[in-house]
Amino acid sequence: MNDVEFAERYYAAWNAHNIDAILKLYSDEIEFSSPYIMALGFSYDGVILGLPMLRSYLEKAFERAPDLRLTPEALFVGARGHTLVYRNQRGERSAEVHEMDALGRIVRADATYENT
């Protein structure tokens, strides 16, 4: 897997708000965590499981933030995946850790946000 190419596809899909393209980046058994999952009322622990639940979350997220835009800042590569560091449309910095499966899809994602 080429992490740079994956990151380019990731940012292109998110910035286009193309939910189908975003979902293709993730495994069917995705485990996705983010504090926004709790804030949007999807789960009490901030974790969603599977593509159908991820689709629902993305639909709600883009509805609430129609101007969502991710600007890449850094890419860190590890043994099981990578971490993308970016800023959103409000200038807030975030990092998303991706654990990848053998097919090059995200099987576990942990979205984190800078505490300023």
Side-chain angles (χ1 to χ4, degrees):
M1 176 191 58
N2 182 312
D3 295 285
V4 172
E5 289 175 5
F6 184 92
E8 289 170 356
R9 288 194 335 263
Y10 176 91
Y11 290 118
W14 276 86
N15 287 336
H17 297 194
N18 184 334
I19 292 174
D20 291 328
I22 293 169
L23 293 176
K24 287 180 183 175
L25 302 170
Y26 295 87
S27 164
D28 294 343
E29 295 81 30
I30 180 64
E31 178 183 309
F32 187 93
S33 66
S34 167
Y36 287 113
I37 291 169
M38 287 182 289
L40 294 176
F42 280 89
S43 76
Y44 69 92
D45 62 356
V47 178
I48 55 178
L49 303 171
L51 288 180
M53 200 169 185
L54 182 57
R55 177 181 288 280
S56 295
Y57 169 73
L58 293 171
E59 289 169 351
K60 183 76 153 193
F62 288 134
E63 177 184 304
R64 292 191 50 142
D67 59 340
L68 180 72
R69 177 120 184 110
L70 307 180
T71 303
E73 287 202 345
L75 168 64
F76 299 93
V77 178
R80 290 191 235 174
H82 55 251
T83 301
L84 302 177
V85 179
Y86 54 85
R87 289 193 185 268
N88 67 17
Q89 73 283 0
R90 294 184 302 271
E92 300 163 336
R93 193 160 58 162
S94 304
E96 196 165 312
V97 179
H98 295 155
E99 183 177 328
M100 310 303 284
D101 67 12
L103 299 174
R105 297 173 305 171
I106 304 166
V107 67
R108 187 168 294 112
D110 185 25
T112 60
Y113 303 89
E114 188 170 45
N115 189 4
T116 58

